[in-house]
Amino acid sequence: MIAAKPRSTAATGSAGHPVLPALLSRPYPAVMGVLNVTPDSFSDGGQFTAPEQALAQAQRMIAEGADIIDIGAESTRPYGSEPISVEEEMTRLEPVLAGVVALGIPVSIDSMKSAVVAWALDQGAAIANDVWGLQRDSGMAGLVAERGVPVVIMHNRESADPDIDIMQDIADFFTRSLDIAAKAKISSDNIVLDPGIGFGKTPEQSMTALARLGELQSFGLPLLVGASRKRFISTVTPLEPHQRLGGSIAAHLLAAQNGARIIRAHDVAETVQALRVAAAIREQG
């Protein structure tokens, strides 16, 4: 069990951005639809690199009930992804981002580079999604604080270590990130925590993080979970990423039960249906 972390460990600062309260006000989690404009993402790399394909996919996910579109132009898959430059990342985003923003729902920019995030915010993106939790790019925290936008702080590691207590490692990582956020004066109302399913974890550790997700509520901040199509599912039932819908929904329903308020998913329609039906059933209990 993780030692309790009172809300005071989170950053305090100016008032939070209005986008988060709107997303978190429902009886079921908000759904963040994944839009990868990359050639090498683990599940859908190359499918949406053409601007018209990316825009059509964003429109499809919104029609299916997505509350946020999370757009990323650099693969952050833990196994075999190749880093790209700021210029290349923005080149991939430039023909797509403005059109997605114009669709009218909040857009999250999935990038670990503050220069890319700053540019995306200038184009109308509303949320920063940092897979290194403010700990990789020294300019990220200051940028988020200056712009007053929500930020997703995700737990990550350079590599998996099966011998560590993964929940303690996540808690320690979040404590460091929240200290960085506090020093930058990021409002705690603008922070979402993500345990980083599949990142720097063995499959068993990813499942542990899902099973014990409720312990992270001790931080007093909203939780986001993205277990969609992740590798741990195939260790239970061996399947390719596009065949892992059932496992993704199972993981996300348990995450919602354990406190997740935002679910990041590739399969939006099925995820929205599952979350809403589960919430409706709970209301009858």
Side-chain angles (χ1 to χ4, degrees):
M1 190 76 176
I2 301 171
K5 302 285 194 303
R7 191 178 175 88
S8 60
T9 62
T12 56
S14 59
H17 192 283
V19 71
L20 272 186
L23 291 169
L24 302 174
S25 62
R26 305 163 187 156
Y28 44 82
V31 173
M32 174 185 276
V34 178
L35 183 60
N36 290 318
V37 290
T38 57
D40 56 346
S41 290
F42 82 98
S43 174
D44 55 3
Q47 291 186 33
F48 309 116
T49 51
E52 62 274 14
Q53 293 171 329
L55 189 60
Q57 176 65 0
Q59 291 170 323
R60 184 179 304 112
M61 289 191 291
I62 292 170
E64 292 173 345
D67 303 291
I68 314 161
I69 299 297
D70 187 50
I71 185 167
E74 178 179 20
S75 175
T76 52
R77 62 195 172 106
Y79 310 100
S81 61
E82 293 293 332
I84 61 173
S85 67
V86 168
E87 292 74 22
E88 175 64 20
E89 196 169 342
M90 290 196 293
T91 295
R92 293 177 181 179
L93 287 166
E94 196 276 332
V96 176
L97 183 58
V100 175
V101 168
L103 296 175
I105 72 167
V107 172
S108 167
I109 176 65
D110 181 359
S111 178
M112 66 183 83
K113 301 184 184 76
S114 60
V116 173
V117 172
W119 175 84
L121 294 174
D122 289 341
Q123 307 305 307
I127 301 168
N129 184 5
D130 183 1
V131 298
W132 278 99
L134 309 179
Q135 296 185 38
R136 176 58 63 90
D137 184 325
S138 61
M140 189 72 79
L143 170 69
V144 169
E146 178 187 352
R147 300 298 186 91
V149 295
V151 60
V152 179
I153 289 174
M154 196 191 84
H155 171 267
N156 212 334
R157 292 176 54 83
E158 293 289 354
S159 60
D161 181 351
D163 296 324
I164 64 171
D165 178 342
I166 194 62
M167 296 307 294
Q168 192 59 57
D169 195 77
I170 292 170
D172 292 344
F173 182 98
F174 284 161
T175 298
R176 292 193 298 273
S177 291
L178 293 174
D179 183 58
I180 293 169
K183 289 175 179 174
K185 295 184 168 37
I186 297 173
S187 169
S188 59
D189 292 330
N190 278 340
I191 297 174
V192 175
L193 300 179
D194 176 355
I197 304 303
F199 287 83
K201 300 171 184 66
T202 66
E204 293 75 18
Q205 288 172 335
S206 287
M207 288 188 275
T208 295
L210 287 164
R212 295 173 58 186
L213 183 71
E215 296 176 26
L216 299 176
Q217 292 188 74
S218 62
F219 284 96
L221 297 166
L223 301 176
L224 180 153
V225 167
S228 184
R229 304 183 182 179
K230 292 291 175 70
R231 187 171 69 103
F232 77 89
I233 297 169
S234 70
T235 67
V236 180
T237 55
L239 295 166
E240 294 302 309
H242 69 280
Q243 299 172 308
R244 299 172 189 169
L245 174 60
S248 301
I249 287 177
H252 287 151
L253 288 176
L254 286 169
Q257 183 177 317
N258 289 333
R261 299 300 302 140
I262 303 174
I263 298 296
R264 184 179 184 273
H266 298 82
D267 303 290
V268 169
E270 296 86 349
T271 303
V272 167
Q273 182 183 89
L275 292 169
R276 293 185 185 181
V277 170
I281 293 170
R282 282 196 297 272
E283 287 177 3
Q284 299 301 315

